[in-house]
Amino acid sequence: MKRLSFALAPVFALGTLIAAYSEDARPTHSVARGPLAVTLDLDGSYDSPELFEAKFRPDGYGGELSISKIASHGAAVKKGDVVLQFDPAPWQRAVAAAENELRAADAGLKAASDSCAWGDKQDSLTLANSKDAVLESEKELEYFNTIDGPHMLKYNELGLKNYEDNVKDQAQELEQLEKMYKSEELTTDTADIVRDRAKRSLENSKIFLEMRRASSKKTPDWEYPRRKIQVERAVEQSKVGLAQTESNVANGKVQRDAQKVRATAAREQQVEALEKLKRDGDKLTITSSIDGWAIYGQLAGGNWSTNDELLKAYRTGEKVGANVVVLTVIPSGAKMARVAIPEDRAMQAKVGQKATVAALGSQDKKLEATLSEISPVPSGGVIAAKLQLSSAAESVVPGMKCKVSIAVADLKDVVLVPASAVGVENGKPAVWVMEGGKEKVVEITLGMNNGQWHEVKAGLKGGETILQNALKK
């Protein structure tokens, strides 16, 4: 557990601690001026910015990763040595599948392109036919209004007139027969036959004439108007058909073009996916970028993830996940340290402050360091920070624990009071000053503290006698 402690100047430099007792036997302290050295003493761990993490960082491959070669845990490696290698067979199958998908995408793009070409030609013909249909229907209407329609009415009139003329002609012929038979000497039987035949024909013609007169009203009253309406509707229908065709042609072209765009995009995505897969093939073999030692697991926040389960898992034939640090190559020595500063002391820490760092087994061998980085975000009640060592710690390796002492302040000639004497009155820091055998509460403004002593910036000047222990209410 991380702890906070402080370096304290000799007590005699702060003033005389009076152990005299008041009438009620309460200990007091004589306020004095003196120096105050404040440090943050923390547990830390060594680290290095030159760590090499061996992990498979895929661009596109998401299949199985089976270890085919791995450096031994703790083995010394040189820059360029293979420290981790994966079986390429699953990757090769993924590449073959991606190549097949690319061929399918090529076929899809060709089909979409052909559809655009043939579709445009078909649309042109369909549109031309629809325009011809409009032209033909308009011509039909024009001809009906100028030729066919008038002829229909005229034919009807002429048909009726022919019937009427036929009746008239037969009546005249019968009249002439009657006259002729009277003047000629024909047998009565013959004359009767001819006259009867002429009479019957005339009677039938009269009947047909009446029938024709009745039916002739149908043409101007029904057949002609209906035919005209049909021709006019045909014009409207052809125009509607043309408009629909134009809309279908436009929409069809949009759909074909969109399909071609999609097919092109799909092919480009497949090309990119295949390229990424092929690049991933080179990543199946991982070589170290530094000299050092191979340690299974990852160093994160100053702590190794290495454990017995991990040592068993990282063997030839075992499977691992992508973007998982399988092993870390650490250099000899360490060039930095990590610490976790408690939130309640974080305001005292500033980038650039000097510090000392010592390994747990070598407290007498301290290296100078500088606080180089402070995280802006707290986590779990602490704030992570980094220190840059003035020289490499050759006898340690990253992950080893150390003691860190950060020099926060070195104050000179300030008013000091014991931490136990500081209490709270009306929500503000206060001490109890003894005057005439009675205590008087005095509000004070505090500065820095080292856990045992507080700097007083206002409220006391020095020389006052205060209660050693603050009153509690």
Side-chain angles (χ1 to χ4, degrees):
M1 181 177 180
K2 299 173 178 60
R3 60 186 178 83
L4 179 63
S5 64
F6 302 88
L8 178 63
V11 174
F12 66 82
L14 299 176
T16 302
L17 179 62
I18 300 177
Y21 291 83
S22 60
E23 294 180 356
D24 56 0
R26 287 181 294 183
T28 60
H29 170 77
S30 181
V31 179
R33 303 181 71 90
L36 181 65
V38 182
T39 61
L40 284 171
D41 293 333
L42 307 166
D43 293 331
S45 61
Y46 289 104
D47 208 335
S48 174
E50 299 174 354
L51 299 177
F52 173 74
E53 296 181 334
K55 65 179 178 180
F56 180 70
R57 301 174 175 85
D59 284 332
Y61 179 63
E64 178 182 294
L65 290 172
S66 178
I67 297 174
S68 61
K69 181 179 180 180
I70 185 170
S72 300
H73 179 61
V77 298
K78 295 290 185 181
K79 180 179 180 179
D81 286 353
V82 175
V83 294
L84 183 61
Q85 192 171 52
F86 298 101
D87 180 8
W91 168 80
Q92 290 169 347
R93 290 193 292 270
V95 170
E99 289 174 339
N100 186 61
E101 291 296 326
L102 179 57
R103 287 191 291 271
D106 286 336
L109 178 58
K110 184 179 185 304
S113 299
D114 291 345
S115 177
C116 286
W118 291 111
D120 290 345
K121 292 181 179 179
Q122 182 63 45
D123 285 347
S124 179
L125 293 173
T126 302
L127 191 59
N129 289 336
S130 293
K131 290 180 178 179
D132 287 346
V134 173
L135 179 62
E136 290 174 0
S137 63
E138 290 177 338
K139 283 295 183 182
E140 285 293 330
L141 178 59
E142 178 184 348
Y143 290 146
F144 181 82
N145 290 332
T146 59
I147 300 175
D148 296 341
H151 285 185
M152 177 184 291
L153 297 175
K154 195 65 176 177
Y155 287 150
N156 183 61
E157 294 175 1
L158 291 176
L160 178 59
K161 187 174 186 303
N162 285 337
Y163 273 90
E164 291 174 342
D165 291 343
N166 185 43
V167 170
K168 186 184 293 184
D169 291 342
Q170 288 186 21
Q172 292 176 352
E173 289 175 0
L174 179 57
E175 182 181 352
Q176 291 299 320
L177 284 175
E178 292 288 354
K179 292 179 180 181
M180 180 178 65
Y181 289 147
K182 288 181 180 181
S183 59
E184 294 180 3
E185 293 181 357
L186 293 177
T187 61
T188 302
D189 292 338
T190 301
D192 290 340
I193 291 172
V194 174
R195 281 196 302 270
D196 290 342
R197 182 183 299 167
K199 288 179 180 179
R200 287 194 304 273
S201 177
L202 177 59
E203 291 300 325
N204 289 336
S205 295
K206 288 180 180 181
I207 294 172
F208 283 128
L209 174 59
E210 293 303 319
M211 293 171 60
R212 186 65 181 85
R213 282 174 176 168
S215 63
S216 64
K217 296 179 180 180
K218 181 181 178 182
T219 297
D221 293 344
W222 175 255
E223 292 178 344
Y224 175 83
R226 289 296 301 168
R227 178 56 184 160
K228 184 174 183 180
I229 290 174
Q230 291 171 355
V231 175
E232 290 174 342
R233 284 178 178 173
V235 173
E236 294 302 319
Q237 288 176 344
S238 65
K239 289 181 179 180
V240 171
L242 175 59
Q244 187 174 9
T245 298
E246 290 174 338
S247 177
N248 292 339
V249 166
N251 290 335
K253 181 172 179 58
V254 170
Q255 294 296 329
R256 291 192 301 273
D257 291 345
Q259 180 58 33
K260 184 177 180 180
V261 170
R262 287 192 291 268
T264 301
R267 184 187 182 281
E268 290 174 351
Q269 290 175 354
Q270 197 58 43
V271 169
E272 183 180 1
L274 181 58
E275 290 175 350
K276 288 181 177 179
L277 269 177
K278 290 183 176 180
R279 288 199 301 268
D280 286 342
D282 296 333
K283 300 176 182 179
L284 295 174
T285 299
I286 302 174
T287 57
S288 176
S289 63
I290 62 171
D291 296 340
W293 289 271
I295 305 298
Y296 288 2
Q298 181 181 22
L299 179 62
N303 297 303
W304 283 100
S305 62
T306 309
N307 54 44
D308 291 341
E309 293 297 325
L310 199 66
L311 295 178
K312 294 177 182 179
Y314 292 160
R315 297 178 181 177
T316 300
E318 296 296 329
K319 297 178 178 59
V320 299
N323 292 308
V324 174
V325 177
V326 178
L327 63 82
T328 304
V329 179
I330 59 173
S332 59
K335 297 182 179 180
M336 59 181 290
R338 293 176 178 270
V339 294
I341 304 173
E343 286 186 31
D344 59 348
R345 297 296 181 183
M347 296 300 294
Q348 294 180 345
K350 307 291 181 184
V351 172
Q353 288 174 339
K354 300 301 180 181
T356 58
V357 179
L360 294 183
S362 304
Q363 292 295 300
D364 58 333
K365 296 180 180 180
K366 297 180 179 180
L367 290 177
E368 293 183 354
T370 303
L371 188 57
S372 58
E373 182 180 331
I374 302 175
S375 173
V377 181
S379 176
V382 297
I383 294 179
K386 296 180 182 179
L387 298 101
Q388 189 69 36
L389 304 181
S390 59
S391 59
E394 299 297 342
S395 60
V396 301
V397 295
M400 289 182 64
K401 303 307 177 182
C402 60
K403 294 292 184 179
V404 177
S405 181
I406 302 173
V408 175
D410 188 12
L411 305 179
K412 307 296 183 181
D413 193 30
V414 295
V415 177
L416 298 172
V417 295
S420 62
V422 179
V424 177
E425 184 72 15
N426 297 324
K428 296 181 180 180
V431 295
W432 281 259
V433 178
M434 298 301 297
E435 292 183 356
K438 295 182 179 181
E439 69 271 3
K440 175 186 176 183
V441 64
V442 176
E443 293 182 358
I444 59 176
T445 301
L446 297 176
M448 302 196 73
N449 75 86
N450 65 3
Q452 294 178 325
W453 297 90
H454 280 280
E455 172 196 6
V456 179
K457 290 189 172 183
L460 298 175
K461 296 181 179 180
E464 297 92 342
T465 298
I466 63 174
L467 291 180
Q468 178 73 32
N469 298 306
L471 293 180
K472 297 181 178 179
K473 296 184 178 181

